Amino acid sequence: MTERYLGVVGVGEALGVSRHAVHKWRARYPGGSELPFPEPDVEIDGTPGWRPDRLAEIIEWRNGLPGRGVGGGRPTAARQEYLKEAAARGMDRDEALRALVTLSEDFPEMTEPEICAWLIGHWRR
């Protein structure tokens, strides 16, 4: 059976950023730094790979990044729209983010923007 891993493209798509952003994070936050980027599970010819079940860990890492304002920086447009829709349905931010992490774990083949779009579409029916 073939094992599936997320590369920098898959991690970037799941977080709504480019692969370049993931490369920058790995360079800026290496192992041993104050806030190290999660180490890959495999490396093939210099290309890192993470098990899909570690996506929640990577999302949690990103949420802990220092950034502009409270919360580790500006969320992606998809996440902003999702959080707005979640708030309109009575969910607080933490509850909405926990739901997003859970769905990311349950559906590792979907990116975070895809999950956000699916939820918003489901709610708007």
Side-chain angles (χ1 to χ4, degrees):
M1 182 171 93
T2 303
E3 291 186 51
R4 305 275 180 211
Y5 291 89
L6 294 170
V8 292
V9 172
V11 169
E13 286 176 351
L15 297 176
V17 299
S18 70
R19 65 185 171 89
H20 300 291
V22 178
H23 283 299
K24 283 185 198 177
W25 288 336
R26 291 192 71 220
R28 188 175 294 154
Y29 302 101
S33 68
E34 189 173 316
L35 188 62
F37 190 86
E39 287 293 322
D41 297 301
V42 298
E43 198 164 303
I44 300 170
D45 293 333
T47 302
W50 293 265
R51 290 186 325 271
D53 64 347
R54 293 194 55 215
L55 187 55
E57 174 189 352
I58 296 169
I59 290 170
E60 186 177 329
W61 173 87
R62 181 187 185 206
N63 289 341
L65 283 177
R68 291 174 268 172
V70 176
R74 186 178 65 215
T76 64
R79 185 181 281 201
Q80 287 175 344
E81 186 177 359
Y82 162 73
L83 291 173
K84 180 180 173 184
E85 289 291 329
R89 280 149 184 77
M91 295 173 76
D92 67 35
R93 180 180 172 84
D94 289 340
E95 183 180 23
L97 290 174
R98 279 193 305 274
L100 192 55
V101 168
T102 299
L103 286 169
S104 295
E105 291 171 348
D106 290 345
F107 300 98
E109 68 280 3
M110 293 178 70
T111 65
E112 182 178 291
E114 288 172 335
I115 292 170
C116 290
W118 180 84
L119 285 167
I120 291 167
H122 179 75
W123 286 335
R124 290 182 178 170
R125 287 186 199 159

